[in-house]
Amino acid sequence: MQRSNTYIILFSVALTVILGGLLSLASVGLKPAQQKQIELDTKKKILGAVMDISSYNDPNAILALYDEKVESMIVDINGDEVTTDQKGNPVTAEKVDIQKNYRFPANERLFPVYKFKEDPSSDKVDAYIFPMFGAGLWDWISGYMALENDLNTIKGVAFDHKQETPGLGARITSEEVQSRFVGKKVFEGSELVSVSMVKGEGNAGLTEHQVDGMSGATLTGKGVNAMLQSYLGYYESYINKVKSGNGKVALN
Amino acid sequence: MSTETAEVKEKKPAEALFSKRRRRIVSDPLNEDNPITVQVLGICSALAITIKMEPTLVMSIAVIAVVVFSNLFISLIRDLIPGRVRIIVQLAVIATLVTLVSEVLKAYYFDMYKVLGAFVGLIITNCIVMGRLEAFAMANKPYDSILDGLGSGFGYAWIILVVAFFRELFGSGSIMNFKVFDAIGWESFPTNGLMVDSIGAFMVLGILIWVQRAKTGYVEH
């Protein structure tokens, strides 16, 4: 059916306004729920790096648990605590966008540190959790690595990704793959060597710095290795400070 | 008075809610005119998201919702749509619905949102949806269009669910993340890496098409 140009333009405008309005409404209406999901997801991952939280089904219980057991702080590349951003505004670790920071040169980035305490009233930190960010095969990957109190043994890891292939690279988010990191060491003596996923799956005779790889997802594994290597490097000064008993940092 | 007019209206032979013709609108795409195995549409997503059953199920629901509602919406405004821009209008409607689905998933089903990621957005490019709008909703009444959407949506859904069933079973040794082989005590079951790859989907799909065509006697013209 032929219609005048005016009709077509008016029709297009009306349709755009209606559909656009609908999308805006949905976006505004769903925003609080989405933000809560993202916050919950972040805190779940931080906790998930140190403990099994699969028995917690209630989102509020997870948030409460987080508030109780996790303390956070931010350090810079030299391992010194940072409390304000470059403009002098106070910053909190949970609000630091690792992805955004990733775009800055490493010496300008903020590096959050999460300290997990089994007993919140004591000074003893049971695990240090470091957020990380890097490139996978198709898009970004991110992760949290929890180190034991000795700052050498891996207590747990929690990875996330944007676009890795389900069933292949996306397996880095599975419990099965993440549990392979537990107990591995990141230091050899005082030298940082990180851990790395090897090629192929079902490898025998792995050292304490090697993790069994994922069949069909070697490139995602390489991305994970690069991310761990670089971020452990960024946190190395902080780790060394804590280790050498630079008390203030360790205890606050 | 008003009752009389109402009676007159009822005398017109209205088509039954589930007349034979309408039942065929729903049932044809399930088998004889299946969007995937016969029309060979929507193959990309059938390969991409069928590694495990759970995401496949969510994807099926998303596609059914999108195809049904876009069919309904396009059918409602089919007489208003200018012919020259109809494809863009269809695309805009699909894109809006897909974005809505994606936003809802993000708000209430975040884990699945992360697994499916871009694939939900890619429903926009799923030929099945646009094919139905162009071939059916543009020329038929809203109710029939809903039925057509349901038929095509479920026709798509059952195929990818069957593909996902075999891929997850042999590729990951589980069904809906439930480790079946561990459960029956066969813990050394060798999972097949090929099934996790897209090639596995091609193979399962190929076998499915073969079986189906052997039964229906369908031949490509």
Side-chain angles (χ1 to χ4, degrees), chain A residues 36 40 43-44 47 51-70 116:
Chain A
K36 196 175 174 195
L40 181 68
K43 296 188 169 173
K44 253 162 104 173
L47 285 173
M51 58 191 285
D52 179 22
I53 50 163
S54 55
S55 56
Y56 291 86
N57 289 318
D58 178 20
N60 293 320
I62 294 176
L63 295 178
L65 184 77
Y66 180 89
D67 289 340
E68 185 195 338
K69 301 210 165 176
V70 178
F116 179 81

Side-chain angles (χ1 to χ4, degrees), chain A residues 1-3 5 7-8 11 15 19 22-23 26-27 30 33-34 37-38 41 44 160 162-163 166-168, chain B residues 51 79-85 89 92-93 96 99-100 103-104 106-111 114-115 118-119 196:
Chain A
M1 193 183 325
Q2 279 294 356
R3 283 190 162 111
N5 287 342
Y7 177 86
I8 294 179
F11 180 86
L15 190 81
L19 295 182
L22 206 64
L23 286 180
S27 175
L30 293 172
Q34 290 176 349
Q37 290 275 9
I38 291 169
D41 192 59
K44 253 162 104 173
D160 197 5
K162 182 164 184 218
Q163 288 246 8
L168 297 174
Chain B
I51 292 169
D79 293 331
L80 297 172
I81 301 175
R84 275 187 284 167
V85 294
V89 171
V93 169
T96 306
T99 312
L100 284 179
E103 292 282 303
V104 168
K106 193 176 173 188
Y108 299 107
Y109 210 176
F110 196 73
D111 292 337
K114 285 193 300 183
V115 175
F119 294 120
V196 193

Side-chain angles (χ1 to χ4, degrees), chain B residues 12-90:
Chain B
K12 284 181 188 169
E15 195 178 351
L17 206 56
F18 296 106
S19 67
K20 200 171 176 205
R21 184 184 69 88
R22 284 179 165 155
R23 281 205 305 272
R24 285 201 67 83
I25 293 179
V26 181
S27 66
D28 270 0
L30 290 182
N31 189 15
E32 282 153 43
D33 199 17
N34 190 281
I36 297 185
T37 58
V38 178
Q39 298 172 21
V40 198
L41 297 175
I43 295 292
C44 300
S45 59
L47 302 180
I49 46 101
T50 52
I51 292 169
K52 296 220 160 151
M53 281 195 85
E54 204 184 350
T56 312
L57 191 64
V58 176
M59 186 69 174
S60 303
I61 296 167
V63 169
I64 292 170
V66 169
V67 73
V68 167
F69 284 105
S70 57
N71 252 4
L72 169 66
F73 192 69
I74 289 292
S75 175
L76 282 172
I77 61 168
R78 67 185 187 283
D79 293 331
L80 297 172
I81 301 175
R84 275 187 284 167
V85 294
R86 67 180 196 285
I87 299 287
I88 297 175
V89 171
Q90 292 164 10

